[in-house]
Amino acid sequence: MEVAVNLELKTLNVKQDITYYNTSNDTLSSIVLNDWNNAFSDKNTPLAKRFSDEFYRGFHLAKPAERGNTTIINLMDADNMALEWERTTKNPDFIVVKLSHKLRPGEKIDLHITYISKIPSNKFTRYGFDQNGGMNLKNWFLSPARFENHSFIKNNNFNLEDIANAATNYEVEVKIPTNYSITTDLNSVSKDTSNTTFSSYLFTGNNRTDFNFFIEKQNSFRSYTNGIVEVLSDLKTKKLDEIQRALIINRVSNFADEFIGKYPHERIMVSQADYDRNPFYGLNQLPSFISPFSDDFIFEITFLKTYLNNYLKNSLRLDPRKDNWVYDGIQIYAMMKYMEENHLDQKMLGRLSEMKLFDSYNITNLTFNEQYSYYYMLMARKNLDQPLGDPKNTLIKFNEQIASKYRAGLSLSYLDDYLNHNIVPKSVQEFYNLNKNEQTNRYDFEKILTKNSAKDISWFFNTIIDSRDIIDYKFTNVSRTKDSVQFKIKNKTDNFVPIPIYGLKKNDVVFKKWIEPKNNDSIYEFDRKNADKIVINYDNEVPEYNQRNNWKSLKSLVITNRPIKFNFAKDLEDPYYNQILYIPTLTYNLYDGLTPGVRFHNKTILDKPFTFDINPAYSINAGTFSGSSAFSWSEYYRNSTLYNVRYSISQNYFHYAPDATYLRLNPMVQFRIREENFRDNRKQLIMFRQVIVNREASKYITDNSKPNYSIFNARYSNTKTELINHFSFMTDFQFAGDFGKLAGEIEYRRLFENNHKLNLRFYAGSFLYNTTNSDYFSFGLDRPTDYLFDYNFYGRSESTGFFSQQFVMAEGGFKSKIVPGYADQWMTTLNASYSIWNWIELYGDIGFMKNKHQSERFVYDSGLRLNLVPDYFELYFPVYSNNGWEISQKNYDEKIRFVITLSPKTLVNLFTRKWF
């Protein structure tokens, strides 16, 4: 390649010659070239849709100049004859070159291509042009795609760093302005600075699938040479000097060289951009002033993770999408071994583990390596884990970046422990060396592991790698004598895999035995060795679903309850205790005022089947006790689209008026349905509940409604949401002694290519029968009465004043207060809004409503909406409605409506929705 860099236009002018050797046994009529830079060309590419699916707004809202593309000027063969090529709208990130004659096995063909690569901004992926005028270049050029199983691999760019390039020899000449420097992991051949305008560099690299260029005004990379490989790094750390960095880099380089194998290239880059894309998720990401780890340890773990990632990506000749678990498994497994060798006593919480304040927390006792299993369990307990062997692009984000990575490493560590600590490292080295000579896949790695193992390990690939089957063992029929212990092992999931059994005496291990259960009837007998407790999977070698049933005391075989342990705020699940967590709370409504309380619950970081949440509180305004509680039981179905059934009962006791309280009981069952594709954002919910409300009489409430009532409610919702499109459908049935209602709602949101947003909502509701004599159960045009007490109204009984202006999008959804504001027969409305600039929108509502003994009435309103954070912080300014020009009427400030969400849990969903 000859590459001329234009930093002003953010383009690369490229002349490229490709000599393609057909090393396969197939005759080729076309060649596929990856063109991942063109994935940034518009808002409809697979990459753009991936960004939308993960709620990333930056790409859709970007200016055209910030996007990238590839413009092919000509593509010719060795005789300078133009070749036909194709790049489709559906697949803009690779091109298919149609050859003028068939390319037989062993033959070669020359291609000559001239094109312009327009480089995108680095704010999308951290690769591209930056605000300082430089460039971080990756996947910017046309590269031959990997050929495997009689066809080229045609992968779209999903921002997963898994481009499937063929191993290639490169010779690249780059011209950049003289006041800029260039850093690359290719080999430097020559440098020509004789021209006063630009400098010319020549680089080469053999048997590579990818390489990086960093073009900067001031070179931020430092070179570290240690006799093994030249390391180029710009990792940020202000508190370590060059000698400290060099020592850490040498230690990591030597470890990788000895544990994995010799790096096949002269240079390796470890950049801050690479780390920021795939950081080590944990407490080391906290700001330095509160970090529980030393600066040198943070630099070491940062460098280790990024170095191993690039080490393997540049060495293993796998399909990085289809065989991703092998990369992740070797990387995390190597990290675990490195920690065992160099930081065996390092705790997950670092220095915090040494503080007496945290002595009672289970999380402080975990070693650094033990945290990996909890990240996997976080997803397994949510029933969101996925098979390790699944392609990388099918994984939800938390699995792709965290849980599946960690479980892959844990799985190799599990196999290593089972095979006595030498087979897996030997196999990793053998597989690594195989990649120096040929293109490989996961099955080559599996063959090597199987060949080197004296035991049958087919269970490892069938259960651990290629399924999401969970593992859960417990003891049954335990008996003991002074010298021996006898027991059965019950498999609660019918997935029989090897499991270690430990004997403990005063928490010291006195024996460890691996067993290989084949059924639930086998009896095992071990020498007791004075053990006072036996434990399954004590060191957490096996990625087991539930460890709370893993131990049995030998002091007394009578079943004893776990002691209760209180912890402040949050903790990891402790299998040896019943944990009760507590934390102060503070809520507010107009009648109770500030309501401090204490929340007691058993919700540890990992989900569990049974949870309770009790929140007694004190109403400062009323001078009385109030609060809430909830108890629930969840059942998960692993292999069904009906993946969760939740039974619950909740209670709320607060004031609904200045002088009156309400008590709501809400027994409920919920059925959650998801798509077979876990990345599909469509969710369905079927809910049945009985809402029982008892209200004290109030002199402020004179609506003739019954103070006490009970309503059966059935609801179905179907929602699919992403950044560009949101569609939801809901039906609601309510039955009580005095009324029956049927309602439905359809909502649609669309973000257009011009960055304007349209919101549409259609609502229709009708009484099936109604013998009430008040509007308490009627459909609300601008504000529901909320007789089910579902909404967080700060002043639910207010009809005037600031708190009456709180808006909840429910029922009629109008913003103007139009009289009559209720319908006791039927109502249908259409709510619409359209953004005119950023978060400023125009809204309009129209509808018909019908009351008994009255003709139907047409209603409408319109105004301005400030949609600062959708559904969380919004303001509505009415302009014109059935009331006339409201903006010119008296007390206009009392007509303004607001949406404010103070619930931390609700706000957190804004940031977590892209992960799950």
Side-chain angles (χ1 to χ4, degrees):
M1 283 183 280
E2 294 180 12
V3 184
V5 180
N6 189 325
L7 292 168
E8 185 176 348
L9 297 178
K10 313 294 190 296
T11 59
L12 308 178
N13 297 302
V14 185
K15 290 183 178 179
Q16 183 170 339
D17 299 325
I18 298 175
T19 302
Y20 188 90
Y21 293 85
N22 184 4
T23 58
S24 73
N25 295 321
D26 298 273
T27 298
L28 307 179
S29 58
S30 62
I31 293 174
V32 175
L33 302 178
N34 286 320
D35 184 14
W36 276 26
N37 186 66
N38 202 58
F40 297 88
S41 56
D42 61 54
K43 301 179 183 181
N44 298 305
T45 65
L47 176 63
K49 293 174 182 176
R50 183 86 172 193
F51 283 142
S52 173
D53 189 45
E54 295 181 350
F55 300 95
Y56 173 64
R57 296 172 59 88
F59 187 76
H60 194 90
L61 300 178
K63 300 173 183 177
E66 294 177 312
R67 297 198 180 90
N69 60 66
T70 304
T71 304
I72 298 177
I73 299 171
N74 57 58
L75 198 163
M76 299 179 292
D77 63 14
D79 299 322
N80 291 325
M81 298 295 292
L83 291 173
E84 185 180 352
W85 59 275
E86 179 184 51
R87 178 170 60 199
T88 65
T89 303
K90 182 180 178 182
N91 298 300
D93 31 24
F94 60 81
I95 66 174
V96 179
V97 181
K98 299 178 180 178
L99 304 180
S100 55
H101 61 273
K102 293 187 180 297
L103 190 64
R104 293 180 172 81
E107 295 181 344
K108 66 177 182 178
I109 189 172
D110 292 327
L111 306 178
H112 306 290
I113 317 171
T114 305
Y115 58 96
I116 300 173
S117 288
K118 166 68 177 66
I119 303 301
S121 168
N122 70 343
K123 71 180 184 180
F124 310 133
T125 66
R126 302 189 187 274
Y127 301 131
F129 69 83
D130 59 42
Q131 294 181 339
N132 299 320
M135 290 183 178
N136 173 6
L137 299 176
K138 191 178 184 72
N139 305 148
W140 53 271
F141 56 91
L142 299 177
S143 52
R146 176 186 177 99
F147 189 89
E148 185 177 44
N149 295 329
H150 313 295
S151 64
F152 286 96
I153 293 177
K154 301 175 181 178
N155 285 344
N156 296 119
N157 182 357
F158 290 132
N159 188 31
L160 297 174
E161 288 191 281
D162 58 354
I163 191 168
N165 287 335
T168 304
N169 297 336
Y170 290 98
E171 184 176 298
V172 188
E173 182 182 351
V174 186
K175 296 179 180 179
I176 62 172
T178 53
N179 57 331
Y180 280 79
S181 68
I182 186 168
T183 307
T184 180
D185 48 350
L186 293 176
N187 304 325
S188 179
V189 177
S190 64
K191 176 181 178 182
D192 183 359
T193 58
S194 58
N195 191 298
T196 58
T197 306
F198 62 84
S199 301
S200 182
Y201 299 82
L202 182 62
F203 303 104
T204 63
N206 291 337
N207 199 26
R208 300 190 66 107
T209 55
D210 205 358
F211 60 85
N212 286 46
F213 279 147
F214 279 81
I215 300 171
E216 305 170 285
K217 279 187 178 179
Q218 185 173 357
N219 191 351
S220 61
F221 283 82
R222 298 290 179 267
S223 174
Y224 302 87
T225 304
N226 50 30
I228 296 174
V229 65
E230 181 185 1
V231 179
L232 303 166
S233 178
D234 69 339
L235 285 180
K236 298 173 184 176
T237 176
K238 296 180 180 178
K239 298 183 179 180
L240 298 186
D241 58 36
E242 287 299 319
I243 295 176
Q244 290 173 302
R245 296 187 201 185
L247 289 173
I248 290 171
I249 289 171
N250 286 350
R251 184 155 64 240
V252 172
S253 300
N254 280 304
F255 170 80
D257 183 74
E258 294 174 6
F259 187 75
I260 300 175
K262 183 171 179 57
Y263 190 65
H265 310 299
E266 294 179 13
R267 289 176 164 183
I268 185 171
M269 294 187 77
V270 181
S271 70
Q272 187 66 41
D274 287 339
Y275 176 74
D276 289 341
R277 280 184 56 86
N278 292 289
F280 184 88
Y281 292 94
L283 289 172
N284 59 297
Q285 290 179 290
L286 292 172
S288 57
F289 68 92
I290 57 173
S291 174
F293 299 104
S294 63
D295 296 313
D296 57 342
F297 179 77
I298 290 176
F299 178 78
E300 187 169 4
I301 201 72
T302 299
F303 181 82
L304 173 67
K305 187 175 192 299
T306 313
Y307 182 85
L308 289 175
N309 181 66
N310 293 350
Y311 197 91
L312 295 168
K313 288 291 176 69
N314 293 334
S315 304
L316 300 183
R317 294 163 63 179
L318 294 157
D319 179 345
R321 177 165 296 177
K322 186 177 64 176
D323 299 332
N324 181 63
W325 81 265
V326 180
Y327 285 108
D328 289 344
I330 295 176
Q331 180 196 18
I332 301 301
Y333 172 62
M335 288 183 67
M336 295 175 71
K337 287 297 183 183
Y338 180 89
M339 292 299 296
E340 288 175 8
E341 287 186 16
N342 297 280
H343 302 281
L344 181 62
D345 297 326
Q346 181 65 264
K347 298 292 186 179
M348 177 181 174
L349 289 189
R351 289 187 289 253
L352 296 181
S353 298
E354 302 169 6
M355 299 175 64
K356 290 186 177 180
L357 178 65
F358 301 107
D359 275 351
S360 63
Y361 287 83
N362 186 40
I363 193 172
T364 61
N365 298 317
L366 295 184
T367 65
F368 196 84
N369 279 347
E370 285 180 304
Q371 67 182 298
Y372 294 117
S373 64
Y374 281 92
Y375 283 105
Y376 155 67
M377 286 306 306
L378 184 70
M379 298 304 281
R381 293 283 187 90
K382 292 180 182 293
N383 201 6
L384 287 173
D385 56 305
Q386 295 171 270
L388 295 180
D390 280 6
K392 191 175 184 180
N393 63 307
T394 65
L395 303 179
I396 57 179
K397 188 168 184 177
F398 194 93
N399 286 333
E400 180 258 313
Q401 295 214 343
I402 305 175
S404 290
K405 278 181 179 289
Y406 292 173
R407 192 191 174 195
L410 282 167
S411 298
L412 286 182
S413 179
Y414 168 26
L415 186 64
D416 180 26
D417 198 299
Y418 171 65
L419 297 176
N420 298 321
H421 299 287
N422 56 3
I423 302 301
V424 174
K426 174 185 174 183
S427 299
V428 167
Q429 292 180 357
E430 187 175 337
F431 178 68
Y432 187 81
N433 290 327
L434 179 67
N435 280 265
K436 295 178 181 178
N437 303 315
E438 61 184 71
Q439 183 171 281
T440 62
N441 58 48
R442 58 169 282 187
Y443 299 106
D444 295 313
F445 186 45
E446 293 178 13
K447 288 174 186 175
I448 290 172
L449 282 169
T450 302
K451 178 196 69 175
N452 292 336
S453 303
K455 302 176 182 178
D456 176 19
I457 58 171
S458 58
W459 55 267
F460 178 76
F461 306 111
N462 297 334
T463 302
I464 306 298
I465 303 300
D466 287 328
S467 82
R468 59 188 299 266
D469 295 339
I470 57 176
I471 302 164
D472 189 10
Y473 285 108
K474 66 176 290 186
F475 287 114
T476 62
N477 302 98
V478 178
S479 62
R480 85 292 194 221
T481 66
K482 182 180 179 181
D483 299 319
S484 67
V485 57
Q486 191 178 84
F487 56 85
K488 287 185 179 180
I489 288 286
K490 181 179 180 181
N491 186 332
K492 298 184 68 177
T493 61
D494 293 326
N495 296 311
F496 291 96
V497 298
I499 195 85
I501 307 296
Y502 287 81
L504 272 66
K505 180 176 176 59
K506 296 181 180 179
N507 293 327
D508 291 328
V509 176
V510 293
F511 70 78
K512 175 186 177 182
K513 301 283 187 181
W514 280 90
I515 63 172
E516 302 174 32
K518 303 298 182 185
N519 55 59
N520 287 325
D521 297 322
S522 298
I523 298 174
Y524 301 91
E525 184 172 356
F526 295 149
D527 290 340
R528 182 171 174 179
K529 298 183 178 179
N530 296 319
D532 54 32
K533 185 189 296 181
I534 54 173
V535 184
I536 301 170
N537 197 24
Y538 178 68
D539 275 342
N540 210 14
E541 296 95 331
V542 182
E544 201 179 3
Y545 184 78
N546 177 24
Q547 294 189 356
R548 288 177 60 80
N549 55 10
N550 276 18
W551 63 280
K552 181 72 71 172
S553 172
L554 299 180
K555 294 178 180 178
S556 170
L557 297 181
V558 178
I559 296 176
T560 57
N561 293 324
R562 296 179 180 86
I564 293 176
K565 182 169 72 171
F566 287 88
N567 284 123
F568 178 74
K570 210 76 169 173
D571 193 11
L572 283 178
E573 185 174 278
D574 191 330
Y576 305 111
Y577 290 90
N578 285 316
Q579 294 158 288
I580 296 179
L581 306 164
Y582 62 93
I583 190 169
T585 61
L586 184 65
T587 59
Y588 175 81
N589 68 61
L590 179 61
Y591 315 118
D592 289 295
L594 289 173
T595 309
V598 180
R599 178 183 171 215
F600 298 92
H601 64 97
N602 69 334
K603 298 177 182 177
T604 56
I605 295 172
L606 301 181
D607 289 357
K608 57 185 64 176
F610 173 73
T611 61
F612 65 84
D613 197 326
I614 303 171
N615 190 180
Y618 183 77
S619 168
I620 291 178
N621 275 11
T624 60
F625 287 99
S626 59
S628 62
S629 65
F631 304 85
S632 69
W633 177 268
S634 287
E635 292 185 3
Y636 285 104
Y637 302 95
R638 303 280 298 174
N639 301 308
S640 172
T641 53
L642 172 62
Y643 76 100
N644 173 245
V645 178
R646 187 169 184 252
Y647 309 90
S648 65
I649 183 169
S650 62
Q651 168 270 328
N652 302 83
Y653 181 73
F654 292 100
H655 281 77
Y656 77 97
D659 61 343
T661 62
Y662 75 90
L663 171 67
R664 181 185 80 152
L665 293 177
N666 184 22
M668 177 168 54
V669 58
Q670 296 170 295
F671 302 87
R672 288 182 169 86
I673 301 169
R674 67 181 174 203
E675 301 300 299
E676 290 185 4
N677 174 12
F678 281 21
R679 285 196 59 85
D680 193 320
N681 284 337
R682 183 180 302 281
K683 299 291 186 293
Q684 297 179 68
L685 173 68
I686 301 171
M687 180 192 74
F688 301 100
R689 63 175 175 166
Q690 188 77 30
V691 180
I692 304 163
V693 177
N694 287 335
R695 295 184 298 160
E696 288 182 343
S698 170
K699 64 182 181 180
Y700 295 93
I701 307 299
T702 57
D703 58 9
N704 297 319
S705 62
K706 286 186 176 181
N708 304 326
Y709 50 88
S710 177
I711 301 170
F712 174 76
N713 181 208
R715 184 175 297 173
Y716 168 75
S717 65
N718 187 322
T719 303
K720 183 167 185 177
T721 186
E722 54 173 310
L723 180 68
I724 307 301
N725 284 299
H726 165 89
F727 179 84
S728 65
F729 169 73
M730 186 271 289
T731 58
D732 186 82
F733 300 86
Q734 297 177 21
F735 298 98
D738 294 335
F739 73 90
K741 295 170 80 171
L742 170 63
E745 175 184 302
I746 298 173
E747 186 174 20
Y748 176 72
R749 299 178 188 172
R750 170 73 179 182
L751 182 62
F752 295 105
E753 289 206 24
N754 61 6
N755 294 335
H756 290 288
K757 190 172 185 178
L758 174 68
N759 298 298
L760 295 173
R761 174 181 176 270
F762 175 77
Y763 178 82
S766 175
F767 278 92
L768 303 176
Y769 57 93
N770 185 5
T771 60
T772 63
N773 58 357
S774 79
D775 278 325
Y776 185 65
F777 299 106
S778 297
F779 295 106
L781 184 63
D782 69 274
R783 178 179 164 109
T785 59
D786 192 27
Y787 51 86
L788 295 177
F789 291 88
D790 284 338
Y791 305 117
N792 187 25
F793 278 118
Y794 304 120
R796 62 178 54 251
S797 297
E798 299 302 292
S799 57
T800 60
F802 175 76
F803 288 95
S804 71
Q805 296 170 234
Q806 183 182 357
F807 175 75
V808 171
M809 179 57 82
E811 298 185 359
F814 269 54
K815 291 78 187 177
S816 294
K817 296 181 179 181
I818 299 169
V819 179
Y822 298 98
D824 60 11
Q825 201 162 346
W826 57 263
M827 174 189 290
T828 179
T829 60
L830 177 66
N831 316 115
S833 65
Y834 185 76
S835 63
I836 54 177
W837 183 77
N838 283 351
W839 34 265
I840 300 176
E841 301 179 4
L842 295 176
Y843 75 80
D845 306 309
I846 59 173
F848 290 91
M849 53 191 297
K850 176 73 169 64
N851 281 292
K852 297 175 184 177
H853 315 302
Q854 297 178 18
S855 59
E856 62 270 11
R857 186 180 182 212
F858 176 68
V859 286
Y860 60 91
D861 72 358
S862 61
L864 195 67
R865 176 192 190 192
L866 302 187
N867 191 10
L868 302 173
V869 183
D871 302 326
Y872 297 91
F873 184 40
E874 306 172 9
L875 293 174
Y876 294 87
F877 297 87
V879 175
Y880 187 74
S881 70
N882 292 79
N883 299 327
W885 288 98
E886 300 196 43
I887 198 168
S888 62
Q889 296 171 0
K890 291 182 179 180
N891 301 321
Y892 179 73
D893 58 319
E894 297 178 5
K895 299 177 181 289
I896 299 170
R897 307 295 295 274
F898 65 88
V899 173
I900 296 178
T901 299
L902 300 179
S903 167
K905 182 178 180 181
T906 307
L907 291 172
V908 164
N909 289 338
L910 271 178
F911 305 98
T912 60
R913 60 186 181 178
K914 69 179 181 180
W915 289 97
F916 302 107

